[in-house]
Amino acid sequence: MPTVLLTILKYFLIALIWLFFLRIARAVIVEMKTPSPRDDKNTKKTGGFYNNGASNQQKRERLKGKLKVIEPKEQRGELYEIRNELTFGRQPNCGVILEKDNFVSNMHARIFRKGKEVWLEDLGSTNGTYVNGKKITAVQIRRSDLIQIGGVVMKVTK
């Protein structure tokens, strides 16, 4: 082999090794940062959840809706109430703690209300958040949508 080709291959290998280390560093940084919930202009923090000044009747109507775990089998049937804000991750301060799943980030995703709509937002997780099989950054969710966070699949129910 000519020495020019060997030199090019050598630099290509070095570049691949650097890209590998940069990818690992990025994953570590994403896992270590803990994003704070993003407040809308009209919200006030109240006990870990967000209240936009709605009446008690409106609050009761908003709190309707649940997430039902479909996968994994060990958790099948568990229900999580959709509140004004619900976070998912491995940290103990998350609303839904998924500490046994290695594909879940410390602060993986959150569900929050924006007016009458319910939104799901990925919080910069390493492995992503999926709704109906599509990777999302933020999307409005509706009844019967399937949400996947790591190996946990949940269905939005009434």
Side-chain angles (χ1 to χ4, degrees):
M1 257 189 209
T3 58
V4 173
L5 181 61
L6 287 175
T7 305
I8 291 172
L9 288 174
K10 178 174 70 173
Y11 287 118
F12 181 73
L13 180 62
I14 291 171
L16 283 176
I17 291 170
W18 273 103
L19 287 173
F20 175 74
F21 283 119
L22 290 173
R23 176 71 175 137
I24 289 174
R26 181 194 169 276
V28 169
I29 289 168
V30 166
E31 282 294 318
M32 291 179 65
K33 75 175 184 178
T34 304
S36 60
R38 297 178 196 142
D39 294 325
D40 290 336
K41 289 181 182 177
N42 299 326
T43 60
K44 298 175 189 171
K45 192 168 183 177
T46 57
F49 298 106
Y50 290 82
N51 174 11
N52 66 357
S55 71
N56 285 337
Q57 178 62 30
Q58 289 171 327
K59 288 178 192 174
R60 279 192 294 272
E61 289 173 9
R62 282 187 182 175
L63 295 178
K64 292 180 183 176
K66 296 185 185 243
L67 295 174
K68 183 176 183 181
V69 177
I70 297 172
E71 292 291 329
K73 289 182 180 181
E74 307 84 53
Q75 292 178 282
R76 186 175 288 157
E78 286 183 19
L79 291 172
Y80 299 104
E81 188 176 335
I82 297 175
R83 298 184 178 146
N84 290 342
E85 181 162 343
L86 183 62
T87 55
F88 300 86
R90 292 190 322 214
Q91 287 185 345
N93 62 341
C94 290
V96 178
I97 302 170
L98 303 169
E99 63 186 7
K100 294 179 183 176
D101 193 334
N102 292 330
F103 295 103
V104 175
S105 298
N106 287 330
M107 286 292 278
H108 194 100
R110 75 176 181 136
I111 291 180
F112 63 98
R113 296 194 183 269
K114 193 173 189 180
K116 292 184 178 182
E117 301 170 342
V118 179
W119 286 75
L120 174 66
E121 175 184 32
D122 183 86
L123 297 174
S125 65
T126 304
N127 294 307
T129 303
Y130 296 83
V131 174
N132 299 324
K134 295 180 183 175
K135 191 172 184 177
I136 61 103
T137 52
V139 68
Q140 182 181 353
I141 57 173
R142 302 180 196 304
R143 189 178 310 151
S144 77
D145 280 346
L146 293 176
I147 298 171
Q148 181 177 353
I149 297 174
V152 178
V153 179
M154 296 169 276
K155 184 175 185 176
V156 180
T157 63
K158 188 174 181 181

